[in-house]
Amino acid sequence: MTTAPSAGTPPGKPVTVLAFDTSTASLAAAVVRDGVVLDTVQSFAERNHSVLIVPEIKRLLADNGLTADGLDAIAVGQGPGSYTGVRIAVSVGKTLAWAWNKPLLGISSLEALAFGAWGSDSAGRSGLGAGQVWVVPAMDARRGQVYTACFAADGAGGWERRDADGIRMAGDWADKLRQEAADDGRVVEILFVGETEPHAEKFQAEPDGGVPVRTLSYAMEAGALGKLAVARFRLGERESVHAFVPNYTQMTEAEVKLAAARRD
């Protein structure tokens, strides 16, 4: 839950944010000061996220001569993604925000994934003109499903959300986006990013004459999450630390079975 915007931060004051996310196979953490990533960590020891996250945060701060006093806020990937992974980051974020008395910002893990991929050297951002690229993050949710959303980016630095975070059938979702992009008229490309390999065939099955489709395999990195958080911190956005919860998007398998048992 995001609280009502406060007065925000004076434009001239630097804002330093500790940002981290464990919603995917990547344990990603970064220190971001305004639009500059001071340092970043990216570890792929997925089963050790709960063991490594606090030591990695401590090392990241120590390597950059920072303590809690030097931070303006804590930013955490709120999900969706791995059920256990999302819970780890949110729990650590809430604990640090409370212990250090720092504002907490929750950032969509899908938006951070999309924003990071769009800012990467592989995104191919030139030559857009007045057109848009729809950047579509994807995290494999098994059974042909993906955690996904859609964001519109343009050559002038514009970035806006088109579709809410959700879990969708990969093929149906790709078909829907291709049709909407063709009808829109401004879209020059649909770019699927993230865990694209399991669904690449469905993503790239574009009809003749349709909007070009491209996939970009990309791992979560926390610098993008931190940049999004700084912008929202400056707007005065804050989370209620005690009320803040992960965005799981769907029930866990155990919850589905329990709900079914209760209906029987």
Side-chain angles (χ1 to χ4, degrees), residues 79-81 107-115 117 133-141 145-153 159-170 172-178 180 189-196 203 214 220 228 232 247 249:
I107 303 296
S108 159
S109 297
L110 285 169
E111 183 169 8
L113 183 65
F115 191 65
V133 171
W134 285 1
V135 186
V136 184
M139 297 179 189
D140 184 37
Q145 301 174 108
V146 286
Y147 298 110
T148 187
C150 182
F151 301 87
W159 178 265
E160 62 181 12
R161 178 183 285 276
R162 286 195 68 259
D163 292 280
D165 294 354
I167 185 167
R168 301 171 172 101
M169 296 302 298
D172 294 345
W173 174 236
D175 290 343
K176 176 178 180 291
L177 289 176
R178 283 193 292 267
E180 290 180 355
E189 183 180 58
I190 302 173
L191 178 63
F192 289 92
V193 302
E195 297 174 359
T196 58
F203 289 160
R214 188 160 52 99
M220 178 74 75
L228 291 168
R232 292 171 193 179
N247 175 18
T249 299

Side-chain angles (χ1 to χ4, degrees), residues 74-143:
I74 307 295
V76 61
Q78 191 174 2
S82 159
Y83 178 85
T84 301
V86 171
R87 186 171 57 185
I88 289 168
V90 169
S91 297
V92 172
K94 292 178 66 168
T95 300
L96 292 181
W98 179 82
W100 292 346
N101 192 27
K102 298 294 178 181
L104 177 67
L105 293 102
I107 303 296
S108 159
S109 297
L110 285 169
E111 183 169 8
L113 183 65
F115 191 65
W118 178 241
S120 70
D121 293 337
S122 302
R125 299 180 298 278
S126 62
L128 276 180
Q132 291 183 342
V133 171
W134 285 1
V135 186
V136 184
M139 297 179 189
D140 184 37
R142 292 182 289 188
R143 302 188 182 96

